[in-house]
Amino acid sequence: MRSAPKNLLTDVAGLKVGNADDATLKSGVSLILCDEPAVASVHVMGGAPGTRETDLLAPEQTVDTIDAVVLSGGSAFGLDAAGGVASALAAAGRGFAVAGMRVPLVPAAILFDLANGGDKDWGTEPPYARLGREALAAVSEDFAIGTVGAGAGATTATLKGGLGSASARLENGVTIAALVAVNAVGQATIGDTGHFWAAPFEVGDEFGGRGFPSPLPADAAALRHKLQPSAGANTTIAVIATDAVLTKAQAKRLAMVTHDGFARAIWPSHTPFDGDLVFALATGKVPLRDAAIDMIEIGAVAASCMARAIARGVHAATPAPNDTVPTWRQRFGA
């Protein structure tokens, strides 16, 4: 497998990403903007999701395409970010045309980062609508990963989480890429080591190049999770994107199989206390040669990209005042 040039979600042509965050708040927003409306769907496997406009992404619903996706911190307060984005897009003339109006379609998902040491004393006006607008103003084909955007306040059981991304280009010309905010109940590393569960899928040394520990520690499969996890207090939220021509039903299948990447990179994943979710986007630029066969490869590579993105998000995290857990680099070195 080889990554596409940027090793970012924006290797899928027609997508841009913007991040906005607040260091004092220890929270933020990540926005995926589609240059043109893209086919989209979603699949939820965590037990405690927080979402906006996900019902419209079911294959049987009327509208196939959306304008943007928002990933946000802030728990339920973070859903305001999508409203900020939608209002700004409408002012720019974007959105689904209905009754002489334009209604931007901006599905969103949130993670819980309210108890991570940041100052959440925002009174009656949570900052997420503003952060959503700031993320839209910052969209670019180049963006940072780690302690930024929706990953700014993310944590895992043992280390800081973060925003991660990875991409791959297939021999048939299809590009696949992932973006993920890692805030899991479980952990992305093996036991007490700095080796990532996603090691078999690493391209080069994109998250340290350490491979699997040899021998595997005897307690590798022991469950390490956040103490006293509570419903909605965690969650890994993600986008998988491709430039392949997909139907809405195929996008739904892609979102489903991409959850395999969660299971390969986080132990445990999809718990009752995570709201684990994957949005799928298809920009529809590269036709499939044989849909049934091509979807096998696309799904497999999508899961591997997601596993890599999860590890990269944790690997790239940086320390900040009042952190409740260390970063990977603080604990295991460069």
Side-chain angles (χ1 to χ4, degrees):
M1 187 183 301
R2 60 191 176 97
S3 65
K6 296 178 184 295
N7 205 18
L8 296 172
L9 187 84
T10 49
D11 281 314
V12 174
L15 298 181
K16 294 183 176 66
V17 172
N19 289 316
D21 46 74
D22 183 315
T24 301
L25 187 70
K26 278 186 180 288
S27 188
V29 172
S30 294
L31 167 71
I32 301 87
L33 179 67
C34 309
D35 289 349
E36 301 174 357
V39 170
S41 195
V42 68
H43 190 61
V44 181
M45 287 190 67
T51 61
R52 166 179 161 143
E53 289 199 299
T54 50
D55 283 354
L56 68 86
L57 300 178
E60 71 273 14
Q61 305 296 16
T62 300
V63 180
D64 288 337
T65 60
I66 63 170
D67 298 289
V69 174
V70 167
L71 308 179
S72 181
S75 188
F77 302 104
L79 293 174
D80 290 351
V85 171
S87 295
L89 287 177
R94 287 287 303 266
F96 183 72
V98 56
M101 302 293 290
R102 289 281 178 176
V103 182
L105 300 180
V106 187
I110 49 87
L111 55 80
F112 184 99
D113 57 7
L114 301 182
N116 62 0
D119 181 4
K120 307 302 193 299
D121 186 17
W122 52 60
T124 60
E125 294 188 14
Y128 291 97
R130 170 181 58 82
L131 289 170
R133 292 189 294 270
E134 291 177 4
L136 178 61
V139 292
S140 172
E141 293 182 359
D142 296 298
F143 61 94
I145 62 172
T147 306
V148 295
T155 60
T156 72
T158 54
L159 301 169
K160 281 190 78 169
L163 188 75
S165 195
S167 68
R169 186 156 292 160
L170 308 184
E171 290 183 2
N172 63 6
V174 169
T175 300
I176 301 162
L179 181 75
V180 59
V182 187
N183 189 59
V185 165
Q187 65 176 53
T189 48
I190 301 172
D192 291 320
T193 77
H195 298 260
F196 285 92
W197 283 110
F201 306 100
E202 187 173 14
V203 175
D205 60 354
E206 62 186 346
F207 42 86
R210 296 194 176 195
F212 270 157
S214 181
L216 281 170
D219 62 349
L223 292 182
R224 292 171 169 80
H225 55 74
K226 291 176 181 176
L227 295 177
Q228 298 179 333
S230 58
N234 309 282
T235 296
T236 296
I237 48 178
V239 174
I240 192 71
T242 181
D243 55 7
V245 176
L246 300 184
T247 66
K248 202 175 182 185
Q250 288 170 324
K252 173 72 173 184
R253 174 57 54 181
L254 179 61
M256 293 171 69
V257 299
T258 300
H259 274 281
D260 289 351
F262 283 34
R264 290 167 182 159
I266 301 169
W267 175 250
S269 62
H270 305 128
T271 75
F273 304 109
D274 286 296
D276 294 348
L277 169 153
V278 176
F279 291 106
L281 291 174
T283 60
K285 302 301 182 183
V286 182
L288 300 183
R289 295 175 298 190
D290 183 325
I293 299 300
D294 288 348
M295 284 300 294
I296 295 174
E297 184 178 18
I298 289 171
V301 173
S304 69
C305 279
M306 188 59 69
R308 291 164 52 212
I310 289 167
R312 290 190 77 207
V314 174
H315 182 259
T318 52
N322 302 318
D323 280 349
T324 57
V325 287
T327 67
W328 185 91
R329 286 185 171 88
Q330 283 178 310
R331 186 166 177 186
F332 301 111

